[in-house]
Amino acid sequence: MNQSNTSATGESELHITNPSDGTSVGSAAITGEREIRALVQGAREAFPAWRATAPAQRGRALRAAARALAEHEGEVADLHHRETGRDLEGALGGVRAAVDTLLQYSELAPVHRGRSLLGPGTALDVMRPEPRGVAAIVTPWNDPVAVSAGLIGAALAMGNTVVHKPSERCPHLGALLGAVLGEHLPAGVLATVTGGAREGEMLVASTEIDLVAHVGSTHAGERIARSVALTGAHLVRENGGNDALIVDAGVPVQWAAEQAAIGAFTNSGQICTSVERIFVHRDVAEAFIDALAAEAERWTAEGRVVPLVDERMRESVHDQVRGAVDRGARALVGGAVPEGAGSAYPATVLVDVTPEMTVMREETFGPVAPVMVVADFAEALDRASADEYGLSASVLTPRLDHAHEAIDRLAVGTVKVNHVFGGAPGGAAEPRGRSGAGFGYGPELLDEMSTMKVAHLEAIPGME
């Protein structure tokens, strides 16, 4: 998803600039190695008491924290906007989603059930979930409040203590979130580490960590996985995607173009499930491409394309676009770095792309819609399936049989039919391939945050 971007003004702090205009947001002190160890030890010491706290009481604490976050929603959203460039409406929506998620886990965890086993009538056999211990939670910048609240809320609700490392792209936001939530939790139950990849690696490599949950780039996730393999901690990770959109014959072309634009350009494509590759049936290709190009022009003209998180991210996106054009692709709309301060990039539509181009093989994480024309639905499925990632995919089709075939064949965690961002709350999925592993949200996340114990209980024969 994201890569390290902010530059340190020294070895002891990060300097953050506003992606909209390049002005300074401020500097944040990096947490030192000794302090990281102390925070982890504090979480370890707080764990027994928090684990012993009644689940209903833990739920009440989370509800109080959720209410506090709701009271600070304007302040949190504004800081989100200034650090990451997310539009205020989208930032506020993320904060409100975070509140809802905290409330959800505050209610779900106390009723999270074990199971009874069918043993002899003279004995009792049960399975019960228990917290894992100290959780290291490492979160991204593109939806930082909602993602962090989900992982933190589920971990705390199940009785774990948490050390949270927010992205180095939004350290002030991470510190504010920790302060708002932590006000309603016992000391040591929730701590925040500020820093970049080095600090994240120190945290997840600690032998005092029992659980690691990571949402972020595939590169970072794979490094974390290698580190955690040495400690034995349980790992949950949702990483980058290279999500395909299939546009079948017979769809309403204008609607399909609007769906493609939403999928590719929302938050400037800085969403893990953004549309990254488009395969369109030749019967509707010409009209679809014209309509998508018009959508791209409209999104840019209306100011709906927010700036990329920083200039380094913009350079990465533009490198992929430039590389595709150098190899024969055409940018029908966009594809040029605009003048002025900040890190804006226009909605871009590429045609004449080929599968070996980087823009088709790797996650772009920018407002870029590369379109490849295919002969039929079967070819679209083949092209969409030829990928190392496995996060999600979308299919626009009027045919139920094609929808079922796509659901069956696409090796991804989530398949969305006729809505690029569709899905009911709690629809947890497991990413595949280089996109990660484990449930990162929904009720199933409570299972990731706990471990199951089996107990067999029976009386000594002949004794009352």
Side-chain angles (χ1 to χ4, degrees):
M1 290 169 65
N2 60 341
Q3 300 170 353
S4 177
N5 77 303
T6 49
S7 60
T9 57
E11 291 185 357
S12 61
E13 61 182 14
L14 298 168
H15 180 63
I16 309 300
T17 56
N18 188 323
S20 299
D21 55 18
T23 59
S24 176
V25 176
S27 296
I30 293 175
T31 309
E33 183 175 0
R34 182 177 300 177
E35 187 178 356
I36 291 174
R37 288 199 299 266
L39 292 174
V40 173
Q41 184 59 34
R44 172 64 61 199
E45 292 171 358
F47 172 63
W50 184 244
R51 179 187 190 278
T53 301
Q57 187 175 338
R58 295 198 298 259
R60 285 193 292 272
L62 275 182
R63 287 193 290 278
R67 288 192 294 270
L69 183 58
E71 291 169 1
H72 288 82
E73 66 172 22
E75 177 187 3
V76 176
D78 178 67
L79 189 52
H80 183 358
H81 165 68
R82 289 190 291 117
E83 283 203 302
T84 72
R86 186 73 184 258
D87 63 284
L88 277 171
E89 182 181 356
L92 188 59
V95 177
R96 290 173 176 171
V99 171
D100 289 344
T101 301
L102 289 170
L103 292 173
Q104 177 190 61
Y105 287 126
S106 77
E107 298 288 350
L108 284 176
V111 297
H112 195 61
R113 298 174 180 175
R115 291 181 290 173
S116 60
L117 304 175
L118 189 59
T122 56
L124 177 66
D125 289 86
V126 296
M127 300 172 67
R128 70 173 196 173
E130 296 181 343
R132 292 183 179 273
V134 180
I137 292 178
V138 183
T139 56
W141 53 266
N142 58 319
D143 196 6
V145 185
V147 170
S148 299
L151 294 173
I152 291 170
L156 294 178
M158 289 306 296
N160 303 283
T161 54
V162 170
V163 182
H164 176 216
K165 210 293 284 184
S167 170
E168 63 271 30
R169 281 177 159 125
C170 52
H172 300 93
L173 182 60
L176 177 59
L177 178 64
V180 170
L181 301 184
E183 187 71 24
H184 301 275
L185 300 165
V189 168
L190 174 62
T192 304
V193 167
T194 297
R198 178 175 177 271
E199 289 67 39
E201 289 173 1
M202 284 190 290
L203 175 61
V204 302
S206 170
T207 56
E208 291 295 316
I209 295 296
D210 304 292
L211 161 69
V212 176
H214 173 252
V215 176
S217 73
T218 295
H219 175 70
E222 290 171 345
R223 291 181 66 177
I224 288 172
R226 288 192 289 270
S227 180
V228 170
L230 300 177
T231 68
H234 180 67
L235 176 62
V236 183
R237 61 186 182 98
E238 181 182 283
N239 296 153
N242 192 25
D243 292 10
L245 168 64
I246 294 174
V247 182
D248 200 3
V251 298
V253 170
Q254 181 58 40
W255 165 80
E258 291 169 359
Q259 283 288 303
I262 291 169
F265 306 145
T266 298
N267 198 33
S268 287
Q270 298 173 122
I271 301 173
C272 55
T273 55
S274 290
V275 168
E276 300 276 345
R277 303 173 293 151
I278 301 174
F279 302 99
V280 57
H281 195 292
R282 62 185 176 189
D283 289 356
V284 295
E286 183 177 356
F288 170 82
I289 290 169
D290 288 345
L292 179 57
E295 284 293 306
E297 291 176 337
R298 183 171 68 85
W299 275 64
T300 300
E302 294 178 357
R304 298 176 64 185
V305 184
V306 303
L308 295 171
V309 68
D310 60 22
E311 291 185 8
R312 185 178 299 185
M313 178 58 74
R314 181 171 69 177
E315 184 62 27
S316 174
V317 170
H318 189 55
D319 278 349
Q320 287 198 18
V321 172
R322 187 168 48 206
V325 171
D326 288 346
R327 300 184 69 172
R330 291 182 295 130
L332 295 184
V333 178
V337 175
E339 296 181 357
S343 50
Y345 199 79
T348 298
V349 177
L350 295 175
V351 295
D352 299 334
V353 294
T354 56
E356 70 275 4
M357 292 177 180
T358 303
V359 76
M360 295 292 280
R361 292 187 294 104
E362 298 289 340
E363 184 178 46
T364 305
F365 229 61
V368 180
V371 183
M372 183 175 180
V373 179
V374 294
D376 51 29
F377 190 76
E379 183 186 355
L381 277 180
D382 289 340
R383 298 284 189 187
S385 299
D387 189 55
E388 294 181 341
Y389 297 84
L391 197 55
S392 67
S394 301
V395 180
L396 307 181
T397 180
R399 291 183 52 170
L400 187 60
D401 60 332
H402 281 182
H404 282 297
E405 186 180 4
I407 292 169
D408 183 59
R409 282 195 53 198
L410 292 171
V412 296
T414 303
V415 178
K416 296 161 288 186
V417 178
N418 294 335
H419 197 303
V420 292
F421 286 143
E430 293 185 280
R432 304 180 186 187
R434 297 189 67 199
S435 291
F439 290 103
Y441 49 93
E444 288 79 6
L445 179 55
L446 298 174
D447 294 321
E448 301 283 1
M449 298 296 181
S450 57
T451 185
M452 196 67 73
K453 177 181 286 182
V454 175
H456 173 84
L457 179 65
E458 64 177 86
I460 297 175
M463 297 186 65
E464 295 184 358

